[in-house]
């Protein structure tokens, strides 16, 4: 079989489809990025924020959507296009973006610990809050990032009222004092986490990644998946029956669509049919 007979695949995916079964099955386990319009818009919005000149009230964003829809993958893709660099002259790491996760309980001690970890700064576990705070702020001032991304921000809601307020004040302080754009990322509840604070509410522009519906865009997503899956025959994933099945079985979540297709592709390699059929999908959806 020759690469140029695999016209249902993207050029860069053709060689992969000719590899042995085991290698192809293993390749299915790696996340690959598939462009889709809403993700592209989110990335453009992030770029816009990053390019924003410094001003008194830096604009911020809350990127929200259901679990498994692809929020963290968007952030990862964004970070990859802005890698850290070492500033030889100043002897410090230059990072435009610092990304971290909100700890499961949002107390300030844990927040600063997570932030310092992200900044690559070791510190004593017994350090007091004020020490951690000073260290983190000094470091941020030196590194001078333009943007702080805090994923899993709905964890704020796991805290009590005072804890939530304190964490919000902390974010507000970082935004105001260091003139950072803050991007918080989380589930549908994320905007709620900002609710108690009027200033935060007005400054954070919401951006939602919604679940998929039966649209042309969803069909295009499936076609894009098909063009990179290492199968030797076309599956024609944009057929109505497959589209509808995938939508229902995934509940419109990108992560589930990806899982179903990867597992179905594995079956198609194992049974030598080399294309995904409805019966493969039914089998993997049953679990
Ligand atoms: N653009 C994409 N291209 C390919 N796969 C994607 C894409 N977006 C999401 N996925 C798939 O969905 C899975 C879940 O994505 P991700 O971890 O970003 O979700 P999330 O919205 O951050 O979920 P949670 O709220 O639970 O953290 C990924 O591991 C990947 O398999
Ligand atoms: Mg995530």
């Amino acid at each position: 079989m020759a690469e140029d007979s695999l016209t249902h695949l993207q050029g860069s995916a053709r060689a992969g489809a000719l590899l042995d079964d085991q290698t192809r099955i293993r390749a299915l386990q790696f996340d690959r990025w598939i462009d889709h319009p809403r993700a592209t818009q989110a990335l453009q919005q992030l770029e816009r924020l990053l390019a924003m000149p410094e001003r008194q009230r830096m604009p911020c964003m809350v990127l929200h959507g259901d679990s498994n829809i692809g929020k963290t993958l968007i952030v990862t893709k964004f970070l990859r296009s802005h890698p850290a660099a070492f500033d030889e002259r100043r002897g410090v790491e230059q990072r435009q973006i610092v990304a971290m996760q909100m700890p499961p309980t949002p107390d300030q001690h844990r927040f600063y610990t997570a932030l310092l970890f992200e900044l690559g700064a070791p510190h004593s576990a017994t350090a007091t809050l004020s020490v951690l705070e000073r260290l983190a702020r000094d470091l941020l001032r030196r590194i001078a990032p333009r943007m702080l991304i805090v994923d899993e921000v709905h964890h704020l809601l796991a805290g009590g009222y005072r804890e939530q307020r304190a964490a919000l004040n902390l974010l507000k302080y970082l935004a105001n004092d260091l003139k950072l754009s803050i991007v918080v990322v989380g589930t549908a509840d994320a905007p709620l986490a900002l609710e108690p604070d009027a200033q935060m509410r007005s400054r954070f522009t919401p951006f939602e990644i919604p679940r998929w519906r039966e649209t042309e865009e969803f069909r295009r997503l499936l076609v894009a998946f098909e063009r990179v899956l290492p199968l030797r025959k076309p599956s024609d994933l944009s057929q109505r029956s497959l589209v509808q099945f995938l939508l229902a079985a995934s509940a419109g979540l990108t992560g589930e669509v990806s899982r179903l297709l990867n597992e179905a592709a594995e079956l198609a390699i194992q049974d030598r049919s080399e294309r995904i059929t409805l019966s493969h999908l039914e089998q993997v959806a049953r679990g």
Side-chain angles (χ1 to χ4, degrees):
M1 192 168 216
E3 265 188 46
D4 52 11
S5 66
L6 299 168
T7 52
H8 63 292
L9 297 181
Q10 193 172 295
S12 59
R14 291 182 190 161
L18 296 177
L19 299 172
D20 64 79
D21 294 2
Q22 217 189 339
T23 311
R24 288 189 292 153
I25 289 171
R26 206 151 34 111
L28 288 170
Q29 278 141 24
F30 289 94
D31 262 336
R32 49 206 157 333
W33 173 260
I34 310 268
D35 269 323
H36 62 83
R38 196 61 181 158
T40 307
Q41 283 167 19
L43 288 167
Q44 284 167 348
Q45 196 61 31
L46 289 167
E47 291 292 351
R48 231 172 54 84
L49 281 187
L50 188 65
M52 200 68 84
E54 199 171 294
R55 54 163 101 161
Q56 209 48 46
R57 274 169 65 91
M58 292 302 286
C60 298
M61 168 175 170
V62 45
L63 179 63
H64 64 102
D66 288 319
S67 178
N68 216 6
I69 198 73
K71 303 177 297 295
T72 301
L73 218 57
I74 290 173
V75 170
T76 310
K77 167 109 174 136
F78 182 60
L79 289 173
R80 260 208 309 272
S81 54
H82 298 280
F86 193 78
D87 184 334
E88 301 281 351
R89 201 169 44 82
R90 295 170 57 217
V92 289
E93 195 182 33
Q94 277 293 284
R95 275 211 250 179
Q96 281 193 289
I97 310 165
V98 173
M100 61 176 284
Q101 286 195 356
M102 183 65 81
T105 58
D107 66 274
Q108 299 177 75
H109 200 281
R110 281 188 167 202
F111 182 94
Y112 280 117
T113 304
L115 179 56
L116 282 166
F117 178 79
E118 202 42 59
L119 296 173
H123 65 274
S124 140
T126 55
T128 61
L129 178 60
S130 62
V131 167
L132 292 179
E133 189 174 320
R134 190 144 25 84
L135 197 55
R137 291 175 183 189
D138 285 352
L139 259 173
L140 282 173
R141 236 178 241 111
R142 248 189 306 147
I143 298 172
R146 309 295 328 278
M147 180 182 275
L148 173 68
I149 303 181
V150 185
D151 201 348
E152 308 283 340
V153 81
H154 46 274
H155 284 162
L156 261 183
L157 296 167
Y161 178 76
R162 286 184 44 175
E163 235 174 27
Q164 282 184 43
R165 288 308 290 244
L168 284 176
N169 281 334
L170 194 164
L171 288 176
K172 201 153 70 177
Y173 166 84
L174 292 175
N176 290 338
D177 199 57
L178 301 167
K179 306 257 174 2
L180 289 170
S181 269
I182 295 189
V183 174
V184 297
V185 181
T187 57
D189 286 340
L192 269 184
L194 306 174
E195 197 60 26
D197 191 299
Q199 202 193 343
M200 296 290 270
R201 231 177 14 240
S202 70
R203 196 186 295 187
F204 280 74
T205 311
F207 189 104
E208 189 189 3
I209 309 289
R211 290 192 192 216
W212 294 97
R213 288 174 302 115
E214 196 182 336
T215 56
E216 191 46 40
E217 284 172 12
F218 183 58
R219 277 187 286 277
R220 274 198 226 116
L221 177 82
L222 299 182
V223 171
F225 265 108
E226 177 167 354
R227 288 180 64 73
V228 296
L229 288 171
L231 296 176
R232 292 172 191 161
K233 291 187 187 153
S235 310
D236 190 11
L237 294 179
S238 59
Q239 298 169 59
R240 190 121 197 261
S241 56
L242 299 189
V243 172
Q244 287 179 341
F245 185 86
L246 278 163
L247 191 61
S250 67
L253 297 169
T254 324
E256 270 301 291
V257 173
S258 168
R259 182 188 70 81
L260 291 164
L261 290 176
N262 288 335
E263 290 181 11
E266 181 171 342
L267 292 180
I269 293 172
Q270 278 163 348
D271 70 13
R272 314 229 159 253
S273 57
E274 293 291 336
R275 49 187 280 270
I276 294 173
T277 61
L278 188 56
S279 100
H280 289 133
L281 289 172
E282 283 168 347
Q283 212 175 318
V284 297
R286 275 195 300 269

